[in-house]
Amino acid sequence: MEELKSIMEEFVESWWDLISEPAQQWLEGKYDKDILISAIKQADKECGSCGCDLDPFYKRMLIRQI
């Protein structure tokens, strides 16, 4: 669970609205799982192989299905 929290905090700190807002909602315990998964899938599609620090997190989160 600590790993999930850490990844979500990284997403929030990215300031990329696509993932930061759903991740913040997850941290606050008031999120929609489908919206969060959709946002992570979209982020992976748009940026999942750009070489940034977030790239490996998208796939880890999708494997876990939050």
Side-chain angles (χ1 to χ4, degrees):
M1 188 65 167
E2 191 60 36
E3 179 187 29
L4 291 177
K5 182 179 179 215
S6 177
I7 291 172
M8 290 299 186
E9 288 170 345
E10 290 285 334
F11 287 164
V12 169
E13 291 173 10
S14 76
W15 295 102
W16 185 17
D17 289 344
L18 176 66
I19 57 169
S20 65
E21 292 175 10
Q24 182 64 47
Q25 291 172 349
W26 184 89
L27 288 169
E28 294 171 357
K30 47 186 176 184
Y31 73 104
D32 181 307
K33 183 177 179 177
D34 293 332
I35 291 172
L36 179 59
I37 290 172
S38 177
I40 294 171
K41 284 181 180 179
Q42 186 64 34
D44 185 45
K45 182 178 176 183
E46 291 182 25
C47 183
S49 60
C50 74
C52 76
D53 292 339
L54 298 178
D55 288 352
F57 295 148
Y58 305 132
K59 288 167 184 55
R60 287 179 89 149
M61 296 303 286
L62 293 172
I63 288 170
R64 289 176 166 254
Q65 290 291 303
I66 298 76

